[in-house]
Amino acid sequence: MMTQTIGIIGSGLVGGAIARLAVAAGHHVVLSNSRGPETISGLVQELGPLARAGTVDEAIESGDIVALPLPLASYEALPADKLAGKVVLDQTNYYPEFWRHAELDSGALTSSELVQRHLKDSTVIKGLHNFDWNHIHANARPQGHPDRMTVPVAGDDEAAKRLVTQFVESIGYDVIDAGSLAESWRIEPETPIYFWPYAPVVPDGLSEDEQKRHYLEAPVPPVTTEIARQMIDSAVRPSPIGGELAKMPPAHVAIFMELASGNTVKK
């Protein structure tokens, strides 16, 4: 396995999940956020010697791949000059209820094309965006495991796509090519491969706490390469474009709202 250094801009739940998988696979991680390295000290201590906290600039400079587990609305704040020449893993998603953009609403651009336009001297690859922090970690399986999942990536540069593919394969997933950034709408919110296949079905008749526990802990049937290919190829571009929180699994929404309010999820 080729050891990589992953720079992560955003040290929240998704960033933490990516970091955990990366260090478990032997990669180095430099975590950053807008509040400064000192706010990540607890997470870095938990992750061990392969992880360190840094400024956003340090995460960018160190990263063979720079991951963006961020809200899409923050893309314009990304330092395009510092990210020049970097392979950028775009984990953003478009949810118009939180932030709107006319070119995305019209379908003139995909969200990753919008990020690529801002980061004009970087190479943007879409991936690891279509499931939540819990299942990014919980669904990972070693190479050859019968329940190993397949996840999509999209991008315009084949060498960068291979680099990201190597990383994703090393942390627990098979990878399928979903095409160019212009075609990445096929793996965006409200398409067959987005989110739902990577989360468990919650049975009826459970209490709210039982629903959340089941959602966090129940196993998920594997998305094989054949299933992933079928879902990508059969996708129809949503209208209207973009995701809606209310269309996500109810247990996920309940956990999301609980975390957003600062409460601890019961497990």
Side-chain angles (χ1 to χ4, degrees):
M1 182 195 75
M2 181 179 70
T3 300
Q4 297 170 319
T5 298
I6 311 302
I8 301 177
I9 303 178
S11 57
L13 293 166
V14 175
I18 295 296
R20 286 183 177 88
L21 289 175
V23 298
H27 300 295
H28 295 269
V29 168
V30 182
L31 279 153
S32 68
N33 63 22
S34 59
R35 301 185 304 281
E38 65 281 356
T39 65
I40 319 170
S41 58
L43 175 59
V44 167
Q45 188 173 5
E46 177 191 336
L47 290 169
L50 292 179
R52 68 179 177 92
T55 64
V56 169
D57 286 356
E58 288 170 337
I60 292 170
E61 184 179 357
S62 302
D64 298 308
I65 297 169
V66 180
L68 306 180
L70 296 168
L72 179 58
S74 61
Y75 85 96
E76 286 184 303
L78 293 168
D81 56 339
K82 304 281 177 55
L83 281 159
K86 291 290 182 175
V87 174
V88 175
L89 177 58
D90 176 22
Q91 296 180 259
T92 67
N93 289 297
Y94 184 45
Y95 279 77
E97 65 199 280
F98 301 114
W99 177 80
R100 294 199 79 105
H101 193 285
E103 288 174 289
L104 300 185
D105 289 338
S106 70
L109 293 175
T110 63
S111 58
S112 289
E113 285 181 303
L114 185 68
V115 174
Q116 179 68 84
R117 188 171 70 183
H118 175 64
L119 304 178
K120 60 184 178 64
D121 296 317
S122 306
T123 306
V124 173
I125 303 296
K126 184 79 162 186
L128 292 180
H129 65 290
N130 60 322
F131 44 165
D132 65 30
W133 75 94
N134 181 71
H135 293 102
I136 285 175
H137 191 268
N139 291 347
R141 299 288 185 273
Q143 195 96 34
H145 193 285
D147 291 336
R148 187 164 156 111
M149 297 256 189
T150 299
V151 297
V153 300
D156 298 335
D157 184 283
E158 292 305 316
K161 220 184 272 190
R162 282 195 298 273
L163 186 72
V164 169
T165 294
Q166 288 169 354
F167 169 64
V168 175
E169 288 177 341
S170 75
I171 65 170
Y173 293 94
D174 291 337
V175 175
I176 191 166
D177 191 336
S180 65
L181 293 183
E183 295 172 297
S184 65
W185 62 263
R186 293 181 175 276
I187 57 175
E188 286 183 346
E190 305 302 321
T191 62
I193 205 167
Y194 184 79
F195 207 97
W196 285 88
Y198 301 94
V201 175
V202 178
D204 294 333
L206 301 182
S207 69
E208 185 174 344
D209 281 348
E210 288 170 337
Q211 288 179 39
K212 288 186 285 191
R213 190 176 302 113
H214 183 93
Y215 180 78
L216 291 171
E217 298 176 0
V220 181
V223 176
T224 65
T225 301
E226 293 75 21
I227 290 170
R229 180 84 273 158
Q230 185 179 17
M231 288 191 289
I232 292 166
D233 290 347
S234 66
V236 175
R237 198 161 198 181
S239 181
I241 289 170
E244 292 181 51
L245 196 59
K247 291 184 178 179
M248 303 296 277
H252 169 78
V253 176
I255 295 166
F256 176 84
M257 299 306 291
E258 199 164 341
L259 290 167
S261 69
N263 295 329
T264 302
V265 179
K266 296 177 183 175
K267 290 186 71 173

